[in-house]
Amino acid sequence: MTALAPPAPMRALRHPAGGLAGGWLVAVIAAAVLAPVLSPWAYDVQALKDAYQPPSALHWLGTDEFGRDLLTRLVYGARTSLSVSGIAILLSVLCGMVLGAAAAWFGGWFDRAVTTVVDLTWSFPEILIALILVAIIGPGTTGTMIAIAVAYLAQFTRLTRAQIMTLKGETFIEAARSLGAGNAHILLRHLLPNALAPVLVSAMLATGDAIILEATLGFFGLGAQPPVPSWGGMMSAGSALVFKAPWIILFPGLVVAVTVVAINLYGDALIAELDIRGRMRAAA
């Protein structure tokens, strides 16, 4: 009896770079989830007498300007940065897939309207759209989440529309229509599942960009508000202390950089396993 092949996300871990990247991502997510268990320190309790302590056996990554343990705030900051970025990309994917699929399937004036709006927003940098929306909605995690979701909506709408436009002329779609399947059935049961893999891989890669965008907004003071830690907010606080206590900005910056690189490396391994580039060349 032939054994079932493991799913693509597991096969991607067999790549050397994909395995290292996947291990880092699992470790970061696990640390964020288990933050209250892993750290003996509170992320929001100040101890001014312990301020600016360099890395030591007691505080592995040192302390910040308020005497708070930096490693603890990094771990809790992962909760903020990863959850805000992940939820924002999930919302963007869901809305983008609905809009893109509807535009490609129904066509006509609706397709032209969606394409026009998408192309208009696509012409602006994500950071500019996010800054405008946060300025309107207000700073905080909710505003940041909505801003990131809207900033990346055009990307997933365009990708989904292109996939559906390619797939809707296939023979199995004509067969489903001839058997009396309705628009909703064809979209939900045939088109969207076949368009899902490229969109999900794109969403994973976009999550790395979203983490950078969330950190940028946090650096400007527009993200999570104190005392809630976020990686961008920690770097913002450390930027004024770079010569006095460089570890305050160094370690959050390294975590952001390594996490984003890990997401991209794992995403590349996943693309290779799914052969998305080959499928897209064949479709073209």
Side-chain angles (χ1 to χ4, degrees):
M1 192 174 193
T2 305
L4 292 175
M10 297 299 296
R11 296 199 306 272
L13 297 175
R14 297 174 179 173
H15 296 248
L20 288 174
W24 171 264
L25 294 176
V26 169
V28 171
I29 294 171
V33 172
L34 300 174
V37 178
L38 295 177
S39 177
W41 310 97
Y43 71 84
D44 56 349
V45 176
Q46 300 181 10
L48 296 179
K49 62 181 178 62
D50 297 327
Y52 304 117
Q53 288 192 12
S56 63
L58 183 60
H59 299 284
W60 291 0
L61 300 184
T63 61
D64 64 8
E65 68 274 25
F66 297 110
R68 298 171 297 192
D69 183 69
L70 199 63
L71 178 58
T72 298
R73 289 184 61 78
L74 266 178
V75 172
Y76 277 92
R79 282 185 159 190
T80 304
S81 297
L82 295 181
S83 61
V84 168
S85 304
I87 293 173
I89 292 298
L90 177 61
L91 291 174
S92 192
V93 166
L94 293 176
C95 295
M97 290 194 74
V98 170
L99 281 175
W105 181 253
F106 295 109
W109 67 267
F110 183 74
D111 183 28
R112 290 193 296 273
V114 170
T115 303
T116 300
V117 174
V118 164
D119 288 343
L120 182 63
T121 58
W122 188 265
S123 63
F124 293 97
E126 287 87 357
I127 182 61
L128 180 59
I129 297 174
L131 285 172
I132 293 172
L133 289 174
V134 170
I136 295 172
I137 299 170
T141 54
T142 301
T144 301
M145 208 178 296
I146 295 173
I148 294 175
V150 174
Y152 287 95
L153 181 61
Q155 174 178 333
F156 301 114
T157 303
R158 285 168 61 100
L159 179 58
T160 304
R161 180 183 178 277
Q163 292 292 310
I164 299 300
M165 291 290 287
T166 302
L167 291 169
K168 73 176 186 178
E170 295 290 332
T171 305
F172 69 95
I173 299 299
E174 296 295 334
R177 188 185 289 112
S178 66
L179 291 173
N183 290 330
H185 178 85
I186 292 174
L187 279 171
L188 296 176
R189 295 292 301 274
H190 299 289
L191 289 175
L192 285 177
N194 283 284
L196 193 60
V199 175
L200 290 182
V201 173
S202 179
M204 180 175 183
L205 296 175
T207 302
D209 296 334
I211 290 174
I212 295 177
L213 183 53
E214 189 276 336
T216 303
L217 294 174
F219 188 87
F220 291 144
L222 300 174
Q225 298 301 293
V228 177
S230 71
W231 292 341
M234 295 172 67
M235 287 190 289
S236 178
S239 62
L241 304 167
V242 65
F243 296 109
K244 183 176 183 178
W247 54 87
I248 298 178
I249 189 174
L250 175 63
F251 290 119
L254 282 175
V255 170
V256 170
V258 173
T259 301
V260 172
V261 170
I263 290 174
N264 283 277
L265 289 176
Y266 182 76
D268 286 343
L270 192 56
I271 288 172
E273 283 298 327
L274 292 171
D275 193 25
I276 288 176
R277 292 191 179 99
R279 288 162 52 187
M280 293 181 74
R281 284 194 297 267

